[in-house]
Amino acid sequence: MQDVPMPYVKANQVGVIAVIILASLLKMPFLLILLWVVLITGAIFGSNLFMQVVKPFINVQGAETQARELYRFNTTLALLFLTLSILCIANGWIVAGNIFAWLLGVVMLVALSGYCIGCTIYYQFKQFKAKRK
């Protein structure tokens, strides 16, 4: 399985943060549904709109990579938070929905800064599975 170049992962993170900020500032929660669609395509096909936009502008030859399995795990966590956000907003729980979206944005911002919370959760999950065997 091919790895995902880190510039594409970072483009994805920046895109998620930008859409969450726009959705919050403009009070347009439907943007979160569009973001969900973008992320689900990334989970299914391994590449999403944010990655495709930067692809012509970034040379990834020799760039650091992230394992595709880890990328999919992190994307699944992002989709979980985004789904919870959308469901809360759809049920009229605007504050709770915004909190889930903002938590996702903060986690993505922390990942851009160098610490991947999803990677830590993935590692702990793998450790748990290994101990069960």
Side-chain angles (χ1 to χ4, degrees):
M1 190 177 282
Q2 189 180 17
D3 292 342
V4 180
M6 283 305 289
Y8 295 163
V9 173
K10 292 191 180 296
N12 185 51
Q13 293 165 341
V14 169
V16 169
I17 293 167
V19 171
I20 290 171
I21 290 171
L22 278 174
S24 293
L25 290 177
L26 301 176
K27 296 185 188 323
M28 299 173 90
F30 73 88
L31 291 175
L32 298 177
I33 296 169
L34 295 176
L35 178 59
W36 189 90
V37 170
V38 168
L39 291 181
I40 199 77
T41 59
I44 294 170
F45 301 112
S47 181
N48 64 35
L49 177 66
F50 301 130
M51 294 175 175
Q52 293 303 315
V53 167
V54 300
K55 197 175 253 186
F57 305 106
I58 296 177
N59 180 10
V60 295
Q61 190 173 3
E64 182 183 352
T65 61
Q66 183 179 83
R68 186 158 309 270
E69 182 180 1
L70 183 55
Y71 167 75
R72 285 193 176 167
F73 181 82
N74 287 333
T75 301
T76 302
L77 288 178
L79 282 166
L80 173 68
F81 273 81
L82 205 50
T83 300
L84 291 171
S85 174
I86 291 166
L87 289 174
C88 286
I89 291 170
N91 283 309
W93 305 331
I94 306 302
V95 173
N98 284 331
I99 289 172
F100 279 116
W102 295 335
L103 282 173
L104 175 59
V106 167
V107 166
M108 291 284 183
L109 190 60
V110 170
L112 272 175
S113 301
Y115 179 70
C116 177
I117 296 169
C119 300
T120 302
I121 294 169
Y122 178 78
Y123 174 78
Q124 294 299 325
F125 175 69
K126 286 293 196 177
Q127 289 291 332
F128 176 75
K129 279 180 66 173
K131 287 178 184 177
R132 285 187 53 204
K133 286 187 178 184

